[in-house]
Amino acid sequence: MKFVPTKAPLTGETLASLTERLAARGEPAFRAKQILEWVYKKRARSWDEMSNLSKPLRLWLDETFDLVPATLLLDKQSQDVTDKLLLELRDGSLIETVIIRAPQEGVGVDHSRKTICISTQVGCAMGCVFCASGLAGLKRNLTAGEIVAQLLHVCYREDALTPRAKAEMASFDNIVVMGMGEPLANYDALVQALAIVNADWGLGFGARRITVSTSGLVPNILKLAEQPIGVRLAISLHGATNEVREKIMPVNKAFPLEKLLPAIRTFGETHGRMVTLEFILIEDVNDSLEQAEKLRDIALDLHAHVNLIPYNTVEGLPWRRPSGNRLERFARVLDAARVSMTLRREKGHDIDAACGQLRLKTERDRGALGPDSAANTEA
Ligand code: SAH
Ligand code: SF4
């Protein structure tokens, strides 16, 4: 299951690790910075563009590193606000990266705020019963370089569509780690990728604009709380009692609410910032008034923000979203207690749902891969 690429992805290197590799070749210390500037600021797509490097060095780089370890297969633009990039990794695995636009009043869609939803694994081992990402289990973890590569591909695309105010800036406003996979089950690669995305020599992207979503791996929530990088945290709660939660999320057996809730509190206190509780509403599973009351109490107790997400149906799974009335009834319980809350109603406009239900095509159905197959992944 461990994937060992033939060439190291350059997008997985830190300034320190690259400096070290170059020093072993007798290169001066500033060389690594020069190379990373080409990759992250000038968005060079090939070694030959790096005109201030010698030809022998460029040859060595080409033999040693994979500049961006993913190839763009499809750029699926929708009429809606979500666009998707289908990327092929070096072992043939496919992942999707979603670009969600939130148009701003009075300006065209090209100037909308952009949130990028990235994946951290091919598949997922957590087995949440409602989720498409885990249906075929876990194939493998993504490497840090593959996680970062998704964002560079978005930059390449967005740079071409919308000229940036400052050439070296990232081409988007927020990152949500809510695509395929459980980020905290691929902890080391996640943290390495976040460091690269955040560093000045990397994408220089602010940690407060990055949200990591987890199904609730308590030990790694606590580890992430200790990291100097202060990313935002979202918890996929989806059940306000153990009884309901463990029916749909097997992770609740290992980390029931009496372990999860204190970990959320610790994270929030360490970073002095509200944690988000995501709650997908599924008809007759977790949409009762009793669940609403329990969720209200949890949110008030943790000073957490609640994101209510009507379930997006997944082909082949029996779960449905509740009726509009039931959604409103649920939301009113939280609202009445002044819980900080969002309820998104429009299908496809919802960030969490749009990326949460990524359905990746595995090698099994690659034969069917054509212009239309990406449309099957529509949120
Ligand atoms: N593994 C992490 C992050 C990826 S899932 C996690 O579980 O948090 C991102 C979000 O999408 C999660 O809240 C997940 O529960 C949600 N999700 C999964 N399937 C969904 C669906 N069919 N409709 C709406 N949200 C879904
Ligand atoms: Fe994995 Fe998250 Fe889907 Fe659960 S909801 S199966 S943790 S991707």
Side-chain angles (χ1 to χ4, degrees):
M1 204 157 67
K2 182 138 175 64
F3 166 61
V4 186
T6 41
K7 286 191 205 175
L10 191 81
T11 49
E13 298 292 325
T14 61
L15 179 61
S17 67
L18 189 60
T19 306
E20 200 177 308
R21 298 211 49 181
L22 287 160
R25 236 192 134 256
E27 294 289 340
F30 63 82
R31 200 68 82 205
K33 228 179 185 156
Q34 259 178 349
I35 295 169
L36 294 174
E37 194 171 312
W38 278 111
V39 176
Y40 293 107
K41 309 288 196 267
K42 301 185 198 160
R43 322 263 215 259
R45 307 290 296 271
S46 72
W47 306 109
D48 281 339
E49 280 175 56
M50 304 184 183
S51 51
N52 56 0
L53 308 182
S54 70
K55 182 87 188 156
L57 177 58
R58 278 185 267 152
L59 273 175
W60 176 80
L61 286 167
D62 188 40
E63 281 159 14
T64 315
F65 293 108
D66 192 353
L67 182 52
V68 181
T71 307
L72 180 68
L73 282 193
L74 270 176
D75 180 339
K76 166 108 184 51
Q77 303 214 14
S78 79
Q79 304 299 322
D80 208 329
V81 290
T82 32
D83 294 343
K84 293 178 184 179
L85 302 185
L86 181 66
L87 300 173
E88 183 179 34
L89 306 177
R90 297 303 180 227
D91 66 344
S93 297
L94 301 174
I95 54 168
E96 282 184 332
T97 302
V98 184
I99 302 153
I100 304 131
R101 290 163 206 291
Q104 288 175 350
E105 291 287 314
V107 287
V109 88
D110 280 341
H111 297 283
S112 53
R113 289 185 72 76
K114 288 165 203 151
T115 296
I116 313 306
C117 176
I118 56 171
S119 299
T120 50
Q121 298 184 310
V122 184
C124 183
M126 304 307 295
C128 306
V129 298
F130 48 81
C131 177
S133 296
L135 284 179
L138 174 70
K139 185 174 168 205
R140 69 169 172 89
N141 280 331
L142 296 188
T143 63
E146 289 167 333
I147 299 173
V148 175
Q150 297 171 62
L151 295 165
L152 268 181
H153 270 288
V154 173
C155 285
Y156 300 154
R157 173 198 204 254
E158 297 296 316
D159 289 350
L161 290 176
T162 321
R164 285 161 288 148
K166 271 206 203 134
E168 70 278 9
M169 269 172 34
S171 327
F172 42 81
D173 307 284
N174 296 291
I175 298 171
V176 291
V177 189
M178 292 188 183
M180 179 170 264
E182 167 49 53
L184 296 189
N186 186 12
Y187 185 85
D188 292 343
L190 172 78
V191 169
Q192 166 106 339
L194 293 176
I196 294 168
V197 167
N198 182 236
D200 332 330
W201 47 260
L203 273 178
F205 195 85
R208 276 150 205 266
R209 292 188 286 144
I210 304 175
T211 302
V212 173
S213 174
T214 178
S215 59
L217 293 176
V218 167
N220 286 352
I221 292 173
L222 296 172
K223 249 167 96 178
L224 190 66
E226 294 302 317
Q227 285 287 331
I229 183 166
V231 292
R232 292 176 183 271
L233 184 70
I235 302 286
S236 291
L237 197 64
H238 310 334
T241 53
N242 283 326
E243 196 202 352
V244 169
R245 195 166 190 265
E246 76 184 24
K247 271 192 206 145
I248 51 176
M249 300 182 71
V251 66
N252 196 71
K253 294 208 177 70
F255 304 112
L257 294 177
E258 53 280 15
K259 290 191 177 149
L260 178 59
L261 300 181
I264 300 172
R265 187 189 303 284
T266 302
F267 193 98
E269 283 173 2
T270 311
H271 291 280
R273 179 137 15 97
M274 263 188 163
V275 171
T276 294
L277 304 176
E278 296 164 274
F279 207 91
I280 306 179
L281 286 159
I282 311 176
E283 189 174 66
D284 294 333
V285 172
N286 61 3
D287 62 342
S288 68
L289 279 180
E290 192 207 343
Q291 283 289 299
E293 285 159 8
K294 293 261 161 52
L295 176 59
R296 171 198 65 198
D297 295 345
I298 291 172
L300 289 173
D301 188 44
L302 292 175
H303 304 290
H305 176 83
V306 174
N307 194 4
L308 295 178
I309 308 151
Y311 181 67
N312 262 321
T313 41
V314 174
E315 208 187 304
L317 296 183
W319 321 103
R320 298 280 164 261
R321 65 167 57 187
S323 68
N325 279 347
R326 262 180 99 87
L327 293 174
E328 298 290 343
R329 194 185 70 149
F330 193 100
R332 266 202 304 275
V333 174
L334 295 142
D335 220 21
R338 296 177 177 269
V339 171
S340 160
M341 179 194 74
T342 33
L343 165 65
R344 299 214 180 82
R345 295 171 189 80
E346 321 89 317
K347 190 166 186 271
H349 286 225
D350 181 61
I351 292 174
D352 315 73
C355 36
Q357 70 159 14
L358 291 188
R359 175 147 180 77
L360 289 226
K361 309 246 128 223
T362 60
E363 285 70 23
R364 263 185 302 125
D365 44 30
R366 288 203 83 187
L369 188 69
D372 279 333
S373 58
N376 298 336
T377 63
E378 192 68 66

